[in-house]
Amino acid sequence: MVASASQLAQARVPLEQRDFCAHHLVRLLRCHRDNFPVPWGCHHLRHHWESCQHEDYVMRMKEFERERRLRQRQKRLRKRQEATEAT
């Protein structure tokens, strides 16, 4: 993580949004506070935060799929080894 826990607490980032993209969210929330009546002035920061969120999601899904395939491979190897030991 780029942002520390104290920075996130100081920026009042909700606990459920304290993830690997929280540093982008801190900048976005600061921009929203600084440009209060004009929320569309922070569009580029929202884009960075949403892009980071999407990339994080894609990486988590890739890691999950990799782990799932490794578990399946281990099961196949275990079955093959049991079959060769039984004969």
Side-chain angles (χ1 to χ4, degrees), residues 68-81:
R68 187 182 70 82
R69 289 181 186 200
L70 284 174
R71 283 192 303 272
Q72 287 177 344
R73 181 175 183 264
Q74 286 175 347
K75 284 181 185 178
R76 281 195 318 268
L77 291 176
R78 207 174 307 125
K79 284 182 182 179
R80 188 179 302 154
Q81 185 179 15

Side-chain angles (χ1 to χ4, degrees), residues 31-32 34-43:
C31 180
H32 278 298
D34 293 344
N35 301 320
F36 173 63
V38 186
W40 56 86
C42 306
H43 178 70

Side-chain angles (χ1 to χ4, degrees), residues 14-28:
L15 289 175
E16 62 271 4
Q17 292 181 328
R18 294 185 185 188
D19 55 5
F20 290 107
C21 300
H23 60 285
H24 292 293
L25 183 59
V26 168
R27 290 186 204 132
L28 177 63

